[in-house]
Amino acid sequence: MEGIHHPPEEQLQDLEFCIDSNPPWDETMILAFQNYIVMLGTSVMIPSILVPLIGGTDGDKARTIQTLLFVSGIKTLLQTLFGTRLPAIVGGSYAFIIPVLSIIGDSSLKKIPDPHERFLQTMRAIQGALIVASSLQIILGFSQLWGLFSRFFSPLSMAPVMCLIGLGLLEHGFPMVGNCVEIGIPMLLTVITFCLYLKHIKAWRDFPVFERFSILLSITIIWTYSHLLTLGGAYGHVPNKTKNHCRTDRAHLISSAPWIKFPYPLQWGPPTFDPGHSFAMMAAVIVSQIESTAAYFAASRFAMATPPPTYVLSRGIGWQGIGVLLDGLYGTVTGSTVSVENVGVLGLSRVGSRRVVQVSAGFMIFFSVLGKFGALFASIPFPIFAALYCVLFGLITSLGLSFLQFTNMNSMRNLFITGLSLFLGLSIPQYFNQSWAYSGHGPVNTKASWFRQYNVFFGTNSSIDSRHFVGQYGGCQGVKEG
């Protein structure tokens, strides 16, 4: 032990490009497309869970996915240009699923007999709740109030928060890989091989192709392999659940998506407002703020930037509130948070360039308008994304642990705080989620629906209860067997 000495370092030293240094344009385009592919997982998963529950058709689902991608591109550009200016992609958030489910379960909406009319009315109710909830985030951000709270985000507090963000998404990791092991496990092994064992091979222009583009290469190989299995009839006599998770032609997104479609504000009609819905959505806004703040610190470390000061964090939260407002105006069926998986991509590719993320935002907007092409990439089976999440969320967890190097871990007080935060951060959401799964509601169950929905604040560790619904659908493809 005496010979081991690794002094704390505020910035990671083995990254190729920092926040203000940019790769050549051809590498930038490929890296940006890689980021776009990674963020498709969440962008397709959330509408695939929620839209069928509302009564929407495959066409409604495809249009909602296009809208979410389009708005995500706008939000990412706003955040990188005017917000924190960190290389962070802003996309959909699982934290909003429970409030949205509470709106879907509203008796006044459930009794609408026509499925299409119920879909439109529910979307308008979700839009109204998001618009109202965004005001909380805008006020906390632009008034600098969030900066007052962020003073408490020391390395000792950021370490468990960041670890919980990674570990809280474990339900979207190997459990989803296990839904189609013949695709998921080869994907996981391919990514690990490229990142760890082939990273020093310089096959093109004297730079590590397999390390820099490990995600894109792995997805291309395994997606092709899964398509060959589909064409070869490997899933001809298997249960419908296996077909939904493994086949590459179960999404019905390509046939449902229009060739060209520009999402526009209020495309589902004028939003409707309900106090109960809005209060429930505000709980999710608070959760997403905490997640995003930790993700900003992670992005700054992977981009070799200084930790964001309080006024920058407040500005970023304010612009994220503008993003939630855009979600409400356009109708994306969910709110906004920083994409944790894309923060992990910064570390995996060793490229923390802001320009790469901005070009990736351009891809989101471009492919959301060209619906057929975007739907082609969105039809990737979700076990492929789940294998990626095992690596990316694990990387975020280890990055959180790295913040402990800036604390005195020989102090019993620090050991107590770290251990208690991690354990309760996993144990308390488990209690609330089990109560929700067994009884249909959280431990806080009153006649006031708006207060009852604050179970989401304690029942989330980023995965929320989406895991209770994801199994009904084909993951990223998200379609029941008819």
Side-chain angles (χ1 to χ4, degrees), residues 90-149:
V90 182
S93 173
Y94 289 104
F96 291 83
I97 287 184
I98 286 184
V100 171
L101 288 174
S102 73
I103 296 174
I104 295 174
D106 191 301
S107 58
S108 63
L109 296 171
K110 289 179 67 176
K111 67 182 182 181
I112 300 176
D114 181 57
H116 182 67
E117 183 63 24
R118 184 171 73 252
F119 169 77
L120 292 178
Q121 294 297 331
T122 306
M123 284 293 290
R124 294 169 187 174
I126 295 170
Q127 288 180 255
L130 285 170
I131 291 172
V132 174
S134 67
S135 62
L136 175 64
Q137 207 162 20
I138 293 172
I139 293 171
L140 287 175
F142 289 124
S143 68
Q144 297 294 315
L145 286 175
W146 189 249
L148 299 178
F149 295 107

Side-chain angles (χ1 to χ4, degrees), residues 194-315:
F194 284 164
C195 293
L196 295 182
Y197 300 105
L198 300 180
K199 64 179 182 178
H200 296 301
I201 296 179
K202 300 180 179 180
W204 178 55
R205 288 179 47 175
D206 199 34
F207 80 95
V209 175
F210 294 107
E211 180 184 57
R212 194 74 52 81
F213 307 131
S214 59
I215 294 175
L216 198 58
L217 291 172
S218 300
I219 289 178
T220 302
I221 293 171
I222 303 303
W223 190 19
T224 303
Y225 163 65
S226 64
H227 191 60
L228 291 176
L229 289 179
T230 300
L231 293 178
Y235 305 114
H237 304 284
V238 298
N240 292 330
K241 180 180 178 181
T242 303
K243 293 180 181 179
N244 290 335
H245 285 100
C246 299
R247 291 182 68 96
T248 58
D249 58 355
R250 301 293 286 186
H252 299 294
L253 292 177
I254 300 177
S255 59
S256 303
W259 281 102
I260 297 177
K261 181 70 175 182
F262 282 91
Y264 55 91
L266 307 182
Q267 59 185 340
W268 309 112
T272 58
F273 301 93
D274 181 272
H277 298 164
S278 301
F279 274 106
M281 203 67 77
M282 285 182 182
V285 163
I286 296 173
V287 172
S288 70
Q289 285 183 191
I290 298 172
E291 293 176 351
S292 295
T293 300
Y296 289 138
F297 277 97
S300 67
R301 189 153 170 76
F302 277 142
M304 291 193 292
T306 56
T310 57
Y311 73 91
V312 172
L313 288 174
S314 292
R315 190 176 65 206

Side-chain angles (χ1 to χ4, degrees), residues 320-352:
Q320 188 172 319
I322 297 295
V324 177
L325 177 62
L326 292 175
D327 289 323
L329 291 175
Y330 279 84
T332 63
V333 87
T334 184
S336 302
T337 193
V338 174
S339 173
V340 177
E341 54 268 36
N342 285 92
V343 173
V345 173
L346 302 179
L348 204 64
S349 62
R350 300 175 188 262
V351 177

